Amino acid sequence: MTITKTMNGDEAVLAFEGWLDTQAAPEMHAEVEALGEDIKSIVFDFGKLEYISSSGIREVVAAYKKVSGQLKIKNASPGIMSIFKATGIDRKITFE
């Protein structure tokens, strides 16, 4: 998996490519934890994400808590979106 980080003021945009699975989840965790306390919102761009496991979903929820709910996911494929719908997370997180 590859993560590309872009900063827009107090917003961090993390673009994912590949699989967000048990092996890649620690990398995502480290990227989110490395964001400073001055970050007010996070955007995850899942346009090139092929797969997300329960470990990846756990890291999405942790990021949501880190920024007090100011998390947005954009470009999620129908398959990945169905996972968020099945877990009910789509009712908490903003999707574009």
Side-chain angles (χ1 to χ4, degrees):
M1 182 183 70
T2 303
I3 303 172
T4 304
K5 178 172 55 176
T6 307
M7 303 302 295
N8 296 324
D10 62 359
E11 178 180 77
V13 179
L14 301 174
F16 294 80
E17 184 173 348
W19 283 38
L20 180 48
D21 57 10
T22 303
Q23 292 178 333
E27 181 182 349
M28 178 185 182
H29 181 81
E31 285 286 342
V32 171
E33 285 301 308
L35 298 173
E37 293 298 320
D38 57 328
I39 295 299
K40 303 294 183 219
S41 67
I42 299 173
V43 176
F44 290 148
D45 185 343
F46 284 170
K48 294 183 179 179
L49 188 67
E50 299 171 29
Y51 171 80
I52 188 168
S53 71
S54 59
S55 298
I57 291 171
R58 182 179 65 241
E59 294 304 328
V60 169
V61 171
Y64 174 82
K65 291 177 180 179
K66 177 179 177 77
V67 290
S68 303
Q70 299 302 310
L71 174 68
K72 188 182 320 178
I73 295 176
K74 65 181 192 173
N75 302 319
S77 70
I80 289 175
M81 192 65 205
S82 70
I83 294 168
F84 284 108
K85 286 182 179 179
T87 60
I89 295 171
D90 66 313
R91 293 188 297 267
K92 296 280 187 184
I93 296 174
T94 302
F95 287 83
E96 292 183 348

